Each structure stands twice: as structure tokens, then as C-alpha cells.
Amino acid sequence: MVQIWEQSQSNWEETTWQILARSLGSPLNAEPLEWLARTVPLHLLHKHRNQPFQVESLLFGYSGLIPANPQDAYTLQIQKEADFLLKKYELQPLPTQVWKFLRLRPASFPTVRIAQLVPLVTQPLSLFSFFIHEEAATAIIKKLQVSPSEYWQQHYTFHKPTEHGVTQLGQETAHRVLINAVVPLLVAYGHHKDEARYTDRAIELLEQLPAEQHAITKTWKSYGLKCQNAADSQGALEWMQTYCQPRKCLSCSVGLGLLKR
């Protein structure tokens, strides 16, 4: 987080935009979404904030995901708008091979994630300001659960309509964004300002979320460690990564206690 902040010339708004994009791409498309957010910065998107279609065109244009041969009116329109804006800002699209679609649920496709980023960055309220001042996890989750534009409510990819429909950002994804973007943002900002209240609020937010359910928390559960909330599951994850996986049992009070037996 601090590295992103330094690279963005100490701009917390841009840092929020980049870490938000990265967390939405997790796990397979985190890097290309971060590249997109870094190359198409927030201040540039805000020039077109009152015209969401132009923001959508810029993001999809730079992503390189717009098909070369449009087969519907929306794709043709966004291709023309993207070509104009990319030339205007002298941007070269990313190669399409950087994006991953395999082993992903359609709702997690990078096309859907890019479409969901548009309403987040075109709203008038500063996301950074909202994140660092809001104390209720439910309010942050509600803010994150945006719906994409009409076309992307009916498509997972260009050209192929879906019968199921794409609505808003799922609750599980919103939880993940809060854990991996909002909480680290609060901690980094608290360290920068040397104010512990931001770190305390970050922990309080984690305590308001349910514990994560994945292989590591299931492993801990099998050994009797119960995670009551996301603060516990994040602690269990850090414990595993810091001590168990690198086999630093002698540096861990629990591991040392077990070995002494």
C-alpha cells in the first residue's frame, strides 16, 4: 500500500483507485487491473465523470478487450469512443493475453469487473474520504455493491448475452474488497498520520465481518482454532504464512510449546 502511495506521488485518492481495482481482480486478474488503474489514473477518469460511457470506453479501450469486429450496437459504439479517447490521451491498449478467464466464474470475469469499476469511480463522493471515515462495515459493503451499465447487466463478455443477468457486486466479493483494500488503506493512512484511531477502526471493521472460509481456516478449524470473525481469520492466515509455511516453529510460542512436549 505504501509503495502504491509513493508511486502515485503521495496521492491517497489515486492509491484508493489502484488498490480497489487490484482487489476486484483478485486472484487471477489483480495485476492487469492494477496496471489499468495506474495507466488510466483517477484524475483522468474524473474529467469524464459526468459521462459514464466515456469512462467505460476509456477503461475497456485500454484493457484491449473490445473485439476487433463488433457484432452489436454497444460494442460498435464503445469501440469508436475508445479509439477516439485512446488517441486523445496517447494510450496503447494492453495485450489481451494478460487477462485470465479460465477457472473463473462468469461473474468474476475481467469484463464484468471493469464494468463494475465504472459506477464506483463516477459517483460524486470521494471513495477515499468515505472509506477512512465510515465506521460501519455494512455501509461500506452497500457502497461497493454497485450495478454495472445496462449492457453489462445482460452480458459477461462482449457479444454473448446471458439468461441469468449480472446484477451488483456480490457480497462475498465486497467482503474481500473491504478486507484486502479498505482495511490496509486505513492502516497505511494511520501509519502515515501517526494516528492509531485509523488502525483501531480497521480492526473494528474486520470484527464486523464473518470469518473467511478457505483451505487455511479449515485447516486451523481441524486443529481446534475457531475463527469468530474476519479479524480472527486474517490473524490465522498471517500466522500460517509467517510461522507455519516457512517452518519457523522455534520462533512461534505455540510451535515451541508443542515441540517441548
Side-chain angles (χ1 to χ4, degrees):
M1 183 70 72
V2 173
Q3 186 180 29
I4 292 174
W5 176 72
E6 290 173 346
Q7 290 173 348
S8 61
Q9 298 179 336
S10 306
N11 187 315
W12 287 107
E13 295 284 357
E14 293 290 351
T15 303
T16 303
W17 161 231
Q18 290 183 34
I19 198 67
L20 179 64
R22 181 180 178 86
S23 63
L24 266 182
S26 179
L28 296 181
N29 290 299
E31 287 192 0
L33 269 175
E34 186 181 339
W35 297 338
L36 183 148
R38 190 185 307 145
T39 309
V40 188
L42 191 63
H43 72 267
L44 175 58
L45 296 176
H46 279 177
K47 291 181 180 180
H48 304 272
R49 178 184 273 171
N50 295 327
Q51 297 177 304
F53 183 72
Q54 291 185 352
V55 173
E56 198 161 283
S57 300
L58 258 174
L59 294 178
F60 274 113
Y62 180 71
S63 75
L65 290 169
I66 301 175
N69 300 308
Q71 296 176 14
D72 56 50
Y74 168 85
T75 308
L76 178 62
Q77 185 181 4
I78 200 172
Q79 184 193 61
K80 289 181 177 179
E81 189 69 25
D83 286 347
F84 169 76
L85 291 170
L86 291 181
K87 289 177 182 177
K88 178 179 179 179
Y89 295 115
E90 299 180 342
L91 296 173
Q92 292 294 322
L94 287 170
T96 55
Q97 58 265 30
V98 303
W99 300 103
K100 304 294 188 295
F101 286 83
L102 294 177
R103 298 191 301 278
L104 282 176
R105 292 177 298 174
S108 298
F109 281 175
T111 41
V112 175
R113 294 303 188 217
I114 292 171
Q116 288 168 336
L117 281 170
V118 175
L120 284 172
V121 298
T122 53
Q123 57 185 306
L125 180 67
S126 160
L127 281 176
F128 168 66
S129 179
F130 176 77
F131 288 153
I132 65 167
H133 290 108
E134 181 54 59
E135 297 182 4
T138 51
I140 295 175
I141 290 167
K142 185 178 180 180
K143 177 68 69 175
L144 291 170
Q145 289 187 299
V146 294
S147 295
S149 62
E150 184 178 352
Y151 183 87
W152 292 105
Q153 291 177 29
Q154 302 166 0
H155 294 74
Y156 290 120
T157 59
F158 286 95
H159 298 163
K160 298 179 181 179
T162 173
E163 296 179 359
H164 305 291
V166 185
T167 53
Q168 60 186 15
L169 194 72
Q171 188 175 64
E172 184 179 334
T173 304
H175 285 181
R176 187 172 67 242
V177 171
L178 199 158
I179 291 170
N180 295 325
V182 179
V183 166
L185 179 71
L186 278 166
V187 175
Y189 187 69
H191 284 191
H192 172 70
K193 302 290 286 186
D194 196 23
E195 294 186 29
R197 62 191 176 105
Y198 293 106
T199 302
D200 293 340
R201 185 180 298 157
I203 296 171
E204 289 169 3
L205 286 174
L206 289 176
E207 290 173 342
Q208 295 175 42
L209 295 178
E212 300 154 275
Q213 301 296 324
H214 46 61
I216 292 178
T217 53
K218 289 177 181 178
T219 299
W220 280 122
K221 186 177 181 180
S222 69
Y223 284 103
L225 180 67
K226 296 179 181 179
C227 294
Q228 303 295 332
N229 51 50
D232 293 343
S233 58
Q234 280 289 293
L237 180 63
E238 179 70 11
W239 199 357
M240 175 74 79
Q241 292 176 342
T242 304
Y243 294 104
C244 305
Q245 290 175 345
R247 300 182 183 276
K248 293 185 177 181
C249 303
L250 294 178
S251 301
C252 171
S253 57
V254 174
L256 194 59
L258 289 171
L259 288 172
K260 284 183 178 178
R261 290 183 185 179

